[in-house]
Amino acid sequence: MKAFIVADEARCIACRTCEVACVQAHSAEDARQLTAFSPRLKVQRRGEISVPVMCHQCERASCVEVCPVGALTIGKRAVESDDARCIGCLRCVIACPFGAISVESYPDAEDATVLKCDLCGHREEGPACVSVCPTQALQLMTDAELQRYRRGRIAKSAIRQR
């Protein structure tokens, strides 16, 4: 199983700190991001509810399956993008069931940039959005974390059964 980030909409206050952290974390690898402010996650707001939307790191990622040039691949930790291969066809954007991918084109570049959460694979500390969230609405889910969550749910269920 790939790791992924879970967002708790009950805790999200739509401060967009996660978006800023995302842009800052990726600006070192791509200076264009500082001028365009293109986070790899977007805080969506519907009425009273706000929730960050990002790549779910699908096991069978439809975005990878539809990419005609192999710009998206399933890596060890996350679904990865190769901007040098991206032709900007937007098939990945259409295929994503979560609306978590966008493609940016910059005037000074020949290639397009696929913007999707990559779990900040270049950061030892893990995803920047998770570490800066003031309400801890974002949580990185790994195999170990899912097992802990599962044991907690089983324990709660057992207590209710009595």
Side-chain angles (χ1 to χ4, degrees):
M1 182 212 69
K2 300 256 180 263
F4 58 95
I5 298 172
V6 173
D8 181 353
E9 68 271 0
R11 288 184 172 183
C12 182
I13 58 173
C15 65
R16 301 192 187 284
T17 303
C18 54
E19 288 182 352
V20 173
C22 178
V23 171
Q24 287 178 332
H26 289 90
S27 65
E29 66 187 57
D30 188 356
R32 296 176 295 189
Q33 284 227 287
L34 281 178
T35 56
F37 192 78
S38 300
R40 294 167 186 240
L41 74 151
K42 305 269 194 256
V43 176
Q44 298 289 321
R45 188 168 187 125
R46 293 227 169 100
E48 298 288 316
I49 298 174
S50 303
V51 65
V53 176
M54 68 208 71
C55 179
H56 286 65
Q57 309 302 335
C58 304
E59 291 289 327
R60 293 190 62 221
S62 56
C63 60
V64 172
E65 292 176 6
V66 301
C67 183
V69 294
L72 292 170
T73 56
I74 297 178
K76 290 182 182 178
R77 186 164 181 223
V79 175
E80 299 172 350
S81 64
D82 180 354
D83 293 340
R85 297 184 85 163
C86 181
I87 59 174
C89 68
L90 303 177
R91 289 183 186 180
C92 57
V93 175
I94 295 166
C96 179
F98 304 104
I101 299 176
S102 62
V103 175
E104 299 279 328
S105 295
Y106 301 99
D108 62 332
E110 293 177 16
D111 54 347
T113 300
V114 178
L115 296 175
K116 56 164 289 316
C117 178
D118 59 1
L119 299 176
C120 291
H122 61 285
R123 286 175 34 107
E124 285 183 31
E125 314 91 291
C129 59
V130 173
S131 63
V132 301
C133 182
T135 62
Q136 282 124 22
L138 300 175
Q139 181 180 6
L140 179 64
M141 296 299 277
T142 61
D143 279 332
E145 191 60 33
L146 279 174
Q147 289 301 323
R148 186 186 68 71
Y149 181 74
R150 181 176 174 264
R151 285 192 299 273
R153 298 284 302 248
I154 290 170
K156 283 181 185 178
S157 178
I159 291 170
R160 284 189 221 137
Q161 298 286 328
R162 292 182 181 192

